Every structure is written in structure tokens, then in C-alpha cells.
Amino acid sequence: RAADFPMERIHGSGGSLANRVNIMIVGDGWTAAQITAGAYSRACVRLKDRLIALKPFAEYKNLLNVLRVDVPSTQAGTSHELGNVRVDNYFGTYFSKTTVDGRDTDDRGVWFRSWSRSRRLLGEVNPRTPRNVILVLINDATYGGAAMFLGSAAQGVGTVTTHADAGDVFVHELGHALVNLADEYDYGGHNAPRREPAEANVTIESDPTRVKWKHWIEARVPGIGVHRGAQYCQNGVYRPKANCLMKALNQEMCEVCLERAVQRFFENVSLIDDSLSNQAAI
């Protein structure tokens, strides 16, 4: 049921939450004892620090709030289909099993066992607090993350674990959940879509004079072009740059992704927090 869990703003300059981009981090698989001991808080700070060190969040950090919400789970960790590991955590996150090169392994796209139930639970966490994205920080060091953009009028949702690369995964997943960017992976064996993708950073158009980011090509921005492979396809889908955080870790977002991210900020935030009329009362 709807509940106000303990919450702290771990990044933000104060003032109303209504006129900011709000990223709410909630924990899954963190026991009350672990939360009290500070383990969850420290993991949240690591994510926040990486977020505000990378473009565009570094430049626009004054338009951003990061909120930590303390949601205790009955048991620590998360479930894994591999090995049939079952954990009683609050939001029901789990690693499904996949097969890579004939070997069973954890699927890195860690998600919720019941999306409908988990979405309801997420909506009931501190329901009066505005948020643009809810990011579930899972108490498990296995590499993983996933995200979903739910539309400009709804909250995006993502997951990330405590893996050593969690900071970059966090920002990558915000690229999905907040900015509505696509994965730029050129592997996976998918077939190219027949219709033009909605995301700003992938296209099925190969002509550089007609591609949706042609203004960057015309401006001769180094590296921006029409690079084959994206959205888990080797052929038929193209990305703006050879490398980008939407393709690989330890990268920054390319100019096309940064442009869309900045647009998302200004779709949600006004640079005027408050105003006062200078007209004398009549």
C-alpha cells in the first residue's frame, strides 16, 4: 500500500521539487540492518557522484535532484534463475537465465518478476513526491541493469546493481528511462525495424543528407556520421558515432545523445523558479 518511506535529497540545491528533474533511487534487497549501517546510502552516493561527473548531468546539475528512499526488504540480495536462488525482496527483482556460447549465465538485463505488481509498488513509494525516473538499486554485485521509458507524462523506470561499473550503467539506463535513447549495440542478431525508430540516436536511414542528425554532420562535428549497427542489429540500423555511452561503458554520450538529453531537461524544467509582478496594485 502507499507509504512514505524515509527519504533524503542527496543531490540538489533546495527549493521546490516540482521544477526540477527528479531521479528517485529506491533499494531492493537491502535489509533494515544494512540500511541502518549505511551500506545502501554509500551505494547511492557512488551512483550520484558518477552521474554528476558525466555530461550532460555535470553541466545541468543545478536542474537535477537525486532522492534516496530507504525501502527495506525482508532478505538481502536478489533472485537468480541460474542456481534457483530465491530472495524475498521488496520489488521482486531477479536475474533471468540466458545461454551464451552454449553456457548458461545470468541475463544482464535484470528486471522484475512481475512487472504489473512491481510497477504498482513503485508508484506507491512516497506517492506525493514528484519523480521523472525511479531507479531501483539492487543489492547484488552481479553485472546488470535495464530501463524503460514510459512517456513524457509518466515516470521512467530502471534497475542497476552494485557491480563495480554501476555508475556508468546508471547513467546509461537514465539514457533510456529519462531521455528515451536506444541501445547502440551492433550485436544480438535482431532484424532491422521496418519503420523509423522514435529514439533520437538510431535510424534506418543511411543517407547522411537525410538522417535525423544531419545538422551535426553538416556542422562537421568530428566522428558524427552514419555508423552501421545499432539496436542489436549488425545491418540496417545506424548510430551517430562509433562509440558512445549508449554503446559501451567508460564513454561519454555522443553529441546527438547529449542534445536530446538537454532537450529533456528543458521539457521538464523552467529556468524561472518564481516570479513577482512589478505592477502596482490598482
Side-chain angles (χ1 to χ4, degrees):
R1 64 186 182 184
D4 285 317
F5 293 95
M7 182 177 72
E8 181 181 351
R9 179 160 29 184
I10 61 174
H11 173 80
S13 56
S16 170
L17 295 177
N19 190 36
R20 294 292 184 273
V21 169
N22 296 307
I23 299 169
M24 178 183 284
I25 302 176
V26 301
D28 201 29
W30 300 87
T31 65
Q34 289 173 323
I35 293 172
T36 300
Y40 169 62
S41 175
R42 290 190 292 272
C44 290
V45 168
R46 287 193 291 272
L47 295 185
K48 179 266 298 182
D49 288 347
R50 185 57 175 159
L51 174 70
I52 61 174
L54 289 176
K55 296 179 180 180
F57 303 99
E59 291 85 352
Y60 291 89
K61 61 186 177 183
N62 291 338
L63 306 183
L64 177 72
N65 287 312
V66 181
L67 311 168
R68 189 200 76 235
V69 183
D70 301 343
V71 180
S73 290
T74 303
Q75 294 180 315
T78 195
S79 300
H80 291 253
E81 282 189 348
L82 186 66
N84 195 29
V85 177
R86 289 282 184 164
V87 173
D88 183 10
N89 51 25
Y90 191 86
F91 293 109
T93 54
Y94 83 111
F95 279 92
S96 59
K97 185 172 66 174
T98 188
T99 302
V100 178
D101 297 328
R103 177 175 168 268
D104 287 342
T105 185
D106 287 307
D107 188 342
R108 68 184 190 179
V110 58
W111 199 237
F112 306 96
R113 190 168 295 280
S114 169
W115 168 233
S116 59
R117 175 181 178 275
S118 298
R119 186 174 183 180
R120 174 180 58 80
L121 291 174
L122 289 166
E124 291 173 352
V125 170
N126 298 32
R128 292 177 295 277
T129 302
R131 75 290 304 266
N132 300 88
V133 172
I134 299 178
L135 193 286
V136 180
L137 174 54
I138 301 167
N139 186 16
D140 190 298
T142 308
Y143 180 81
M148 181 182 296
F149 180 74
L150 299 176
S152 58
Q155 297 88 27
V157 174
T159 66
V160 66
T161 68
T162 58
H163 186 272
D165 290 320
D168 277 25
V169 176
F170 176 45
V171 183
H172 173 98
E173 301 306 347
L174 285 177
H176 297 309
L178 176 64
V179 187
N180 193 26
L181 298 173
D183 282 319
E184 296 181 8
Y185 309 136
D186 55 359
Y187 57 83
H190 289 197
N191 294 321
R194 295 185 178 183
R195 294 183 179 181
E196 178 65 14
E199 296 87 350
N201 62 321
V202 293
T203 183
I204 58 173
E205 176 59 68
S206 61
D207 184 347
T209 67
R210 299 176 60 184
V211 73
K212 62 179 77 171
W213 52 81
K214 66 178 182 179
H215 53 290
W216 289 103
I217 298 174
E218 291 167 351
R220 300 179 184 273
V221 175
I224 297 292
V226 183
H227 296 264
R228 182 166 58 89
Q231 277 193 318
Y232 300 93
C233 303
Q234 285 190 328
N235 298 292
V237 187
Y238 305 89
R239 62 187 189 275
K241 209 167 188 176
N243 227 336
C244 169
L245 185 57
M246 299 312 295
K247 185 177 188 295
L249 301 182
N250 302 311
Q251 305 288 326
E252 290 192 327
M253 288 185 182
C254 73
E255 289 81 357
V256 173
C257 294
L258 289 172
E259 177 184 44
R260 184 66 192 116
V262 172
Q263 289 169 347
R264 286 289 294 149
F265 271 108
F266 289 105
E267 289 169 3
N268 287 279
V269 179
S270 169
L271 290 183
I272 300 173
D273 266 328
D274 201 359
S275 61
L276 204 62
S277 173
N278 64 357
Q279 273 190 307
I282 296 175

